[in-house]
Amino acid sequence: MVVFRVEVALPKNLNAAKRRIVKHESSDKVFEELGEKEVICKIELRQLLIKHIPERESDINFLVYQCPFNNEGKITPAAFEDWVKDFAILESKADRRPLVQEIAREQCGTDYDSAQFIESETVAFYTFSWNTTSEGTDRVVKLLKKNKIGTPGMGSVCVYKLSSAAPLPVDHLLEGKRKEEEAKASKTMRDRVMHDYKSWWVAGRRPPFEIKSEIEAGAEMNFDYYANLYGASVIAGVGLATNSSVMVVASMLISPLMGPILAMIFGIATRDWKMACHGLLNEIWSTFHTLMGGFVIGLFLAPLSAKNYNWPTSEMAGRGTLQNFTAGIFYAAASGVILGVNVSASNGNALAGVAISASLLPPLVNSGLSLAFAALGPVVFEEGDPTDVDVPEVTDHYNPTDGGSFPMSPAEAHHVSSDLRNFAFIGYELSYKTNSGDNLVIAGWSFALYIMNVVVIGFVCWVIFKLKGYSKQDSLDWKTNNQFIDDLDTKRTTLKRMGAAMDSDGVTGSNKRGALFSIKTS
């Protein structure tokens, strides 16, 4: 079981603290005694308030902490009285403390005040922390988002993944719902099978906010992203040019191309179109940079390595055929499954996305490399069919396969030459020729291979995300985008349900949209 630690910090409600002090039965005595002084300092003000209202020490400390003293740390009684009595009936920072306590009670059960749930208090903040499961974390974050906790001015929310915890947490609310679903599903065989499959699909599902933050970080095109992209392109380009499979495989450990693709897939799965468009634009931009990187590498390496390594090498030519394109479809489909499962699993392999990038970067670099060779090859080398070998010295030697009785033909000399070096087995150098048409074909199939990998991997990974239950609800942002009236209705309903608020006319029966309400004093 993967365990998460949830920590919530809520700012204290200044209006509520003012209201409790002003409406206290001893407040008149406080203001009467304050009127006898010309100015009062922090310590004297705190002592005076505690003297008459000792049971409100926490509110008094908060008020003294927030009080607008002058540079000398003093304030006039009239200024303090005006400030403390200036509180609004409504404000967006309504007391969320009972709400967080209710969420913790649902998570930890009736004994939520045990060591599993810790609540502490500072001068200006309430802090809460408790352990929960992966599913419980997902639900907590959604509830906190819905009630605007974690937005600017409404505290902070932190979630940590723990390596171990004892005792293991149990989300009592989710356990109750799970038992209800199992009871309903036991009525028919079809419902039971669907319930079992659904439980099997979503097992080990990571919280969507964790995936989203991780994907957004990986899709950000900053200096590190460009450094990794161009570094991987150079390594892949040199590996393709020198027929080194080790270099081609090594480039996958650096390639960041999977980051924008994941942002695009997860954005579509959760209908977060901003995230999807951001990933799409970054992937298009990354494609252009990688293609141009391969092209520049080809311009540098073609005059130096094309003849010695007999371009196109097998690494280059292998990515430019229909057969390899067809086989790549099955590889891409399997890669999409692996990617979707490992990204959404709590214990997934972090290298899965990096490894799959190997199917994206080399074909794209190979396309740019082949385009450069198609443009520069005829300028540097003789253009023609590579099998057209015309070396006079070759014809002077006899074919050893036939007892040396017949001279070797140029074509036979080419076919017995090494694939990696442009020499015949007898040691005479063969004439090297290049064909722009063949290189353009390789470039086209390589680019098509890259596009196919993106489409197939993206579609299959999207299917896995949908099976895991990620939806539009998971795309809610921390920032509030609702109008004030909707926020007001949500706040009124939540706090009235918990007994922390009543309508402004003193009754609790009004549910009219936009109706005002007051915070109850305790």
Side-chain angles (χ1 to χ4, degrees), residues 2 4 133-135 137-139 141 159 161 204-212 266 344 346 470:
V2 180
F4 290 85
T133 61
S134 177
E135 292 177 336
T137 304
D138 187 11
R139 183 175 178 277
V141 172
V159 180
K161 182 185 291 185
R205 176 180 181 266
R206 288 174 68 191
F209 70 88
E210 184 183 7
I211 298 178
K212 183 177 179 181
F266 194 75
S344 60
S346 297
Y470 298 109

Side-chain angles (χ1 to χ4, degrees), residues 332-389:
S335 298
V337 174
I338 296 171
L339 181 65
V341 169
N342 281 274
V343 169
S344 60
S346 297
N347 57 348
N349 185 358
L351 292 177
V354 177
I356 293 171
S357 295
S359 66
L360 302 174
L361 185 76
L364 198 54
V365 174
N366 190 49
S367 180
L369 203 67
S370 300
L371 285 174
F373 189 46
L376 189 61
V379 178
V380 180
F381 306 103
E382 184 181 355
E383 188 170 11
D385 193 337
T387 60
D388 294 338
V389 182

Side-chain angles (χ1 to χ4, degrees), residues 216-522:
E216 286 178 341
E220 191 66 29
M221 297 187 71
N222 48 27
F223 173 81
D224 296 341
Y225 184 94
Y226 282 112
N228 289 329
L229 183 66
Y230 278 106
S233 299
V234 171
I235 294 174
V238 174
L240 292 167
T242 60
N243 208 56
S244 174
S245 59
V246 175
M247 289 188 183
V248 175
V249 173
S251 66
M252 75 180 182
L253 300 175
I254 310 171
S255 172
L257 285 177
M258 190 53 65
I261 294 176
L262 272 175
M264 183 170 53
I265 300 169
F266 194 75
I268 295 174
T270 59
R271 297 188 182 183
D272 187 347
W273 303 120
K274 181 180 179 181
M275 184 180 186
C277 291
H278 181 70
L280 177 61
L281 292 176
N282 284 358
E283 187 62 26
I284 293 174
W285 196 237
S286 301
T287 300
F288 173 77
H289 279 273
T290 307
L291 195 63
M292 292 306 299
F295 186 85
V296 173
I297 294 170
L299 293 179
F300 276 100
L301 295 182
L304 302 175
S305 306
K307 184 176 181 180
N308 292 334
Y309 288 95
N310 200 20
W311 280 21
T313 64
S314 58
E315 288 286 342
M316 295 170 63
R319 290 174 171 82
T321 62
L322 175 61
Q323 293 81 0
N324 191 70
F325 178 88
T326 305
I329 297 176
F330 299 96
Y331 174 85
S335 298
V337 174
I338 296 171
L339 181 65
V341 169
N342 281 274
V343 169
S344 60
S346 297
N347 57 348
N349 185 358
L351 292 177
V354 177
I356 293 171
S357 295
S359 66
L360 302 174
L361 185 76
L364 198 54
V365 174
N366 190 49
S367 180
L369 203 67
S370 300
L371 285 174
F373 189 46
L376 189 61
V379 178
V380 180
F381 306 103
E382 184 181 355
E383 188 170 11
D385 193 337
T387 60
D388 294 338
V389 182
D390 185 15
V391 181
E393 290 84 354
V394 175
T395 58
D396 294 338
H397 291 266
Y398 292 94
N399 189 345
T401 60
D402 197 19
S405 56
F406 298 100
M408 183 184 298
S409 67
E412 289 175 328
H414 172 79
H415 289 307
V416 298
S417 65
S418 172
D419 287 338
L420 303 183
R421 298 189 180 278
N422 201 36
F423 290 88
F425 78 101
I426 52 178
Y428 289 97
E429 185 176 359
L430 302 175
S431 61
Y432 179 76
K433 297 180 180 180
T434 181
N435 191 312
S436 298
D438 293 343
N439 293 320
L440 289 175
V441 170
I442 293 174
W445 278 114
S446 295
F447 189 77
L449 179 63
Y450 164 75
I451 296 298
M452 181 274 295
N453 281 326
V454 173
V455 173
V456 175
I457 291 175
F459 175 76
V460 176
C461 187
W462 173 81
V463 172
I464 297 298
F465 284 154
K466 300 306 289 185
L467 289 176
K468 286 288 187 177
Y470 298 109
S471 62
K472 182 179 180 180
Q473 186 67 23
D474 298 321
S475 66
L476 293 175
D477 198 2
W478 284 108
K479 295 182 179 180
T480 174
N481 294 317
N482 297 327
Q483 297 179 356
F484 173 78
I485 193 69
D486 296 326
D487 185 23
L488 185 64
D489 290 339
T490 302
K491 183 189 310 175
R492 184 190 65 247
T493 303
T494 303
L495 296 178
K496 284 173 59 179
R497 175 174 55 85
M498 300 174 62
M502 63 181 178
D503 292 324
S504 57
D505 56 0
V507 297
T508 58
S510 175
N511 288 316
K512 182 180 179 181
R513 189 170 186 268
L516 301 181
F517 66 95
S518 300
I519 304 296
K520 290 183 177 180
T521 58
S522 55

